[in-house]
Amino acid sequence: MLSTSKTPSKQPAAPVASSLEEDRIQSSLASFYASLRSIDAQLRQLVGPERLAVDKTLTKAVRLELLVKNDGKLYPTGEIEHIETECLHEINRRLLATGRAVKALTDGYQQLLQAYRDLDSVCGELDWSKENSELMAGSSRQKPLEYYLQEGYRIVHQLNGLVVGFELTFNAIEIRDSSSVQRFRDCLTISEELQLYLQEYLSYAIFLLK
């Protein structure tokens, strides 16, 4: 992150950032914005439709667990084997689909992280004590550049904890342990705070794109 010592000067006589510099910043912002939109869509999929799919996985896992615990008491041996095979097949099928969604989110986060690093690097080349422009200082319809850097960092940092949590909890799933599926299902949430940061940032960032 840029230090506060690089906060843009508001002195009227300061020279403006060059058109080339602003073009590079606009391009970096556009890449970061696109990556953030993609992450937002992936998160909505995971905590929405995919969470409902995990509910069905959990139901199958609980059934399988009960079946094993009550072996021979509820169903004939031959029928137990058939039901167990059906449950395992269904659990594996659903977990493969969920795993692809988690992997896509993890990959998307790495792209987002790189996009932010690129943006931070480009902005780091500016002389914030001398440069000044509408892009840097903001206007009636857009936030100053410093906002997009600071809030972008906050979002990237919070997303890191969320994505790592999803990945670790998913990788800890044991097919025959329904509680491990339950833990993964329960972690598929986004805090209201992060949702607010995401939507606010996306709504402001769109005004910066050419």
Side-chain angles (χ1 to χ4, degrees):
M1 278 298 295
L2 298 174
S3 65
T4 53
S5 62
K6 293 185 178 180
T7 301
S9 171
K10 296 184 179 180
Q11 297 176 3
V16 299
S18 71
S19 175
L20 179 59
E21 287 173 327
E22 291 207 359
D23 286 346
R24 291 178 64 201
I25 293 172
Q26 290 276 8
S27 177
S28 295
L29 273 169
S31 295
F32 181 63
Y33 175 77
S35 294
L36 196 58
R37 282 194 62 185
S38 177
I39 283 288
D40 184 52
Q42 290 171 323
L43 283 173
R44 289 176 182 275
Q45 175 67 26
L46 267 173
V47 303
E50 198 57 49
R51 193 169 192 263
L52 295 177
V54 174
D55 282 340
K56 296 178 180 179
T57 304
L58 178 59
T59 299
K60 289 292 183 181
V62 169
R63 187 184 185 193
L64 177 62
E65 201 169 60
L66 290 174
L67 190 68
V68 173
K69 289 179 179 178
N70 295 278
D71 189 13
K73 298 177 182 178
L74 297 177
Y75 304 96
T77 302
E79 192 170 348
I80 287 175
E81 293 176 355
H82 173 74
I83 296 173
E84 184 175 359
T85 299
E86 182 267 336
C87 283
L88 286 171
H89 174 75
E90 184 68 11
I91 291 170
N92 278 314
R93 185 182 70 81
R94 292 187 180 280
L95 286 179
L96 282 173
T98 302
R100 286 193 291 269
V102 173
K103 178 65 164 55
L105 179 68
T106 302
D107 292 344
Y109 175 76
Q110 291 303 316
Q111 293 175 5
L112 176 72
L113 180 59
Q114 186 57 55
Y116 181 80
R117 286 170 175 166
D118 291 343
L119 173 62
D120 190 46
S121 177
V122 171
C123 292
E125 295 175 11
L126 294 173
D127 185 345
W128 289 74
S129 66
K130 296 180 179 179
E131 309 283 8
N132 199 7
S133 68
E134 182 178 306
L135 175 64
M136 296 175 67
S139 68
S140 60
R141 75 186 189 110
Q142 73 182 43
K143 294 285 189 179
L145 181 57
E146 188 177 23
Y147 164 85
Y148 298 101
L149 287 171
Q150 292 180 345
E151 293 304 306
Y153 177 84
R154 184 207 299 264
I155 290 171
V156 169
H157 177 71
Q158 290 197 18
L159 282 173
N160 177 69
L162 192 68
V163 172
V164 168
F166 287 176
E167 186 176 27
L168 291 178
T169 311
F170 177 79
N171 290 336
I173 290 178
E174 293 289 343
I175 292 178
R176 296 179 181 276
D177 178 11
S178 63
S179 65
S180 66
V181 181
Q182 178 75 53
R183 284 191 293 273
F184 176 66
R185 177 198 175 278
D186 291 345
C187 86
L188 290 178
T189 60
I190 309 174
S191 69
E192 291 185 7
E193 180 184 51
L194 180 55
Q195 289 185 64
L196 178 62
Y197 288 150
L198 275 169
Q199 295 315 304
E200 184 178 75
Y201 194 94
L202 290 172
S203 65
Y204 280 126
I206 197 170
F207 291 113
L208 285 172
L209 307 181
K210 292 182 178 180

